[in-house]
Amino acid sequence: MSAGPREALGHPVRAARFAADEARAHWHDQALWFVREKRDRAAALVPDWERLRDAAAAIRAHTQGRLAAYLEEFERNAIARGAVVHWARDAAEHNDIVHRILSGHGVRRVAKSKSMLTEECGLNPFLEARGIEVVDTDLGERIVQLAGEPPSHIIFPAIHRKREEIGELFHAKLGTPAGLADPKALTEAARVHLRERFMSADAGMTGVNFAVAETGGIVVCTNEGNADMGTHLPRLHVASMGVEKVVPRLADLAVFLRLLARSATGQPVTTYTSHFHGPIDGGELHVVVVDNGRSEILADAEARRSLTCIRCGACMNTCPVFRRSGGYSYEYVVPGPIGALLAASRDPRAHASLPFASTLCGSCDDVCPVKVDLHHELLLRRRDLARAAILPRSKRLSMSLLGWILAHRATYEAAGRILRLLLRRLPRAILYGAWNVWGRRRELPEPPAESFRETWRRTRGAGHG
Ligand code: SF4
């Protein structure tokens, strides 16, 4: 990785850098496609899969319409079970609340399971700057934490790193033997390292996959059991949840849990689905409910469906752009199609390139378990960017011209004729010259010396082509 993970370079530049390492880009693509296929097989085994998706989308829409009431119901029931509920308007308030709780208990080390919300709020550096060590206990998150990087995928945070690189990292940071690249041995080394951190943590932190209004309980899904380890050894548990995580009833949870694991990794169920109903004996449970811009997205009728996302990552695994450009090319805490939407809704100027990081093929819509109409919403964000004149003038003009050409049959056919003529008549030197300039800029391989038609004629005889 030649550049820092999230510089403001725009998606095309960062994507080109990732794609320049062809072997890595290919392997990243294949690894995620493998997960996508696994998801397909898992979904096919559930006869009522489409009805489950419909039900999930309906529950989410219903909850959004009564969000304040369900959050208040959740608060009442969580307090009745002995939890303390805090409300944070934004990331700064969230971090202050968490810091106040931890410092009030004299905490020096926190064992934290995966939470994209704490990433969004920049909690780790905030706490570290105040003398509190945060240990990310999810294996993938620990790898990127040791490497000083943010996660590049919401489910597979270290998917961009090969095992040889992880071996080098562990050798440097954990003292494992040089050249160790066996996944089992590396996992074992991480387990020993994390076990010591679990035992010495003063507090546990988790995200929240779902909060149930009816019961006041929170649910955390992990495959490694690290949320349980992190919260059952110390007496203090702090959970950070976005306002959109609430579901009305316990029965609704079954719908989402059946969809989540299958969509995320192709597993029939997440290995650990942990329900927390109040604190452990003699302990404290604090739930910090965070808005941080979600209310504004909720108020936008065209954007609010992006808030129904359950963070399964399926849209990333299937997206042809994400698979070939990597998570860091998105410059936002959540990458991929859903990240592009959320980022452009929050700060269109800073993330103007992201809605264009899509082929609009609709594959993301097809796999999304809660039926977020991702590609359509990306198209709307493009429209908003054009209307707000945020895009460069050259792009606006060229898109307007193209739109006009495509909208009229006569111009469309004339443009096709001209292009065909140019391709036939223009000297190859000019065409290849242009290709070379473009290719060098994009760090693409050299084009072949002869056209496909020429190769065809040469190998099959002059009568062909
Ligand atoms: S938008 Fe849909 S597919 Fe993408 S992460 Fe969210 S729930 Fe999963």
Side-chain angles (χ1 to χ4, degrees):
M1 315 281 118
S2 52
R6 284 189 192 123
E7 295 164 16
L9 294 174
H11 184 268
V13 177
R14 298 204 64 88
R17 283 189 185 174
F18 184 82
D21 184 344
E22 278 187 45
R24 184 186 299 275
H26 179 68
W27 158 81
H28 188 264
D29 171 29
Q30 296 297 302
L32 291 176
W33 188 250
F34 172 79
V35 183
R36 156 74 210 258
E37 288 186 319
K38 216 171 145 216
R39 171 257 170 224
D40 289 351
R41 287 194 295 276
L45 289 174
V46 181
D48 53 355
W49 182 256
E50 289 307 317
R51 284 177 58 205
L52 270 179
R53 292 177 74 210
D54 287 338
I59 294 167
R60 281 304 215 202
H62 165 87
T63 313
Q64 279 194 339
R66 296 159 183 77
L67 191 60
Y70 282 126
L71 284 169
E72 283 169 11
E73 185 184 345
F74 167 75
E75 182 187 35
R76 272 195 309 278
N77 289 326
I79 290 172
R81 290 178 176 273
V84 184
V85 179
H86 308 258
W87 298 87
R89 257 179 304 234
D90 53 25
E93 232 173 69
H94 165 265
N95 293 350
D96 280 336
I97 290 168
V98 174
H99 179 243
R100 213 171 43 238
I101 298 166
L102 297 179
S103 56
H105 289 75
V107 171
R108 310 306 305 163
R109 176 179 282 172
V110 186
K112 180 162 77 70
S113 72
K114 184 131 57 75
S115 157
M116 293 314 293
L117 177 59
T118 57
E119 277 288 327
E120 176 186 322
C121 294
L123 182 70
N124 285 19
F126 182 87
L127 292 180
E128 304 260 342
R130 285 154 185 80
I132 297 176
E133 183 193 359
V134 184
V135 180
D136 282 318
T137 56
D138 172 89
L139 177 56
E141 287 234 312
R142 188 61 178 155
I143 291 168
V144 290
Q145 188 182 37
L146 288 172
E149 298 171 341
S152 73
H153 187 293
I154 60 174
I155 302 294
F156 312 109
I159 188 74
H160 59 290
R161 283 194 164 258
K162 296 185 176 179
R163 57 195 164 112
E164 291 78 14
E165 294 168 339
I166 296 168
E168 282 170 29
L169 181 72
F170 279 17
H171 174 59
K173 302 282 183 177
L174 309 184
T176 53
L180 187 71
D182 172 46
K184 256 181 103 179
L186 291 172
T187 307
E188 187 53 34
R191 179 200 290 257
V192 171
H193 159 73
L194 282 172
R195 187 60 55 115
E196 189 275 318
R197 298 300 195 274
F198 278 126
M199 301 298 285
S200 57
D202 308 306
M205 274 202 77
T206 65
V208 172
N209 288 92
F210 303 101
V212 184
E214 179 185 46
T215 64
I218 56 171
V219 179
V220 183
C221 304
T222 71
N223 272 326
E224 298 164 20
N226 52 313
D228 303 76
M229 282 284 284
T231 53
H232 283 88
L233 294 173
R235 302 281 94 188
L236 177 62
H237 174 185
V238 183
S240 298
M241 68 172 255
V243 290
E244 78 282 13
K245 297 291 182 184
V246 72
V247 296
R249 300 164 307 157
L250 197 57
D252 301 324
L253 200 56
V255 174
F256 293 105
L257 293 179
R258 291 185 78 194
L259 289 165
L260 178 61
R262 289 178 173 91
S263 302
T265 57
Q267 294 166 256
V269 70
T270 312
T271 313
Y272 298 88
T273 299
S274 308
H275 295 248
F276 296 92
H277 292 115
I280 57 174
D281 282 347
E284 288 181 31
L285 168 62
H286 294 257
V287 183
V288 189
V289 186
V290 186
D291 186 306
N292 202 32
R294 286 160 175 75
S295 293
E296 281 89 61
I297 299 178
L298 195 61
D300 181 344
E302 284 184 348
R304 69 170 62 120
R305 281 181 72 176
S306 60
L307 276 189
T308 64
C309 168
I310 58 171
R311 300 286 192 271
C312 71
C315 57
M316 293 155 214
N317 304 339
T318 199
C319 176
V321 176
F322 180 90
R323 284 189 278 117
R324 291 170 181 85
S325 63
Y328 291 154
S329 62
Y330 289 81
E331 304 166 333
Y332 188 63
V333 62
V334 178
I338 184 64
L341 267 185
L342 292 170
S345 298
R346 275 170 187 271
D347 190 343
R349 200 167 286 278
H351 303 291
S353 66
L354 292 188
F356 296 90
S358 168
T359 60
L360 302 182
C361 64
S363 183
C364 44
D365 302 23
D366 291 343
V367 297
C368 178
V370 288
K371 293 198 154 184
V372 180
D373 49 353
L374 289 145
H375 89 282
H376 182 66
E377 289 205 18
L378 284 169
L379 199 55
L380 294 178
R381 294 290 86 75
R382 292 184 188 184
R383 180 207 59 193
D384 295 343
L385 289 167
R387 281 187 183 161
I390 289 175
L391 298 175
R393 179 189 287 264
S394 56
K395 181 148 190 155
R396 274 183 287 142
L397 285 177
S398 57
M399 295 311 282
S400 301
L401 180 65
L402 187 65
W404 182 75
I405 290 172
L406 296 179
H408 301 88
R409 183 172 176 165
T411 51
Y412 175 73
E413 288 179 350
R417 276 196 297 276
I418 293 168
L419 267 178
R420 279 196 296 278
L421 194 73
L422 284 176
L423 284 171
R424 256 190 241 122
R425 296 286 162 84
L426 263 187
R428 302 203 67 77
I430 295 180
L431 282 175
Y432 279 167
W435 172 268
N436 274 331
V437 170
W438 184 74
R440 266 200 302 279
R441 261 187 42 215
R442 305 290 302 257
E443 300 174 52
L444 295 175
E446 290 287 308
E450 60 184 1
S451 70
F452 172 73
R453 186 180 292 241
E454 286 164 350
T455 310
W456 183 258
R457 280 211 184 103
R458 182 167 52 75
T459 55
R460 309 271 171 132
H464 293 278

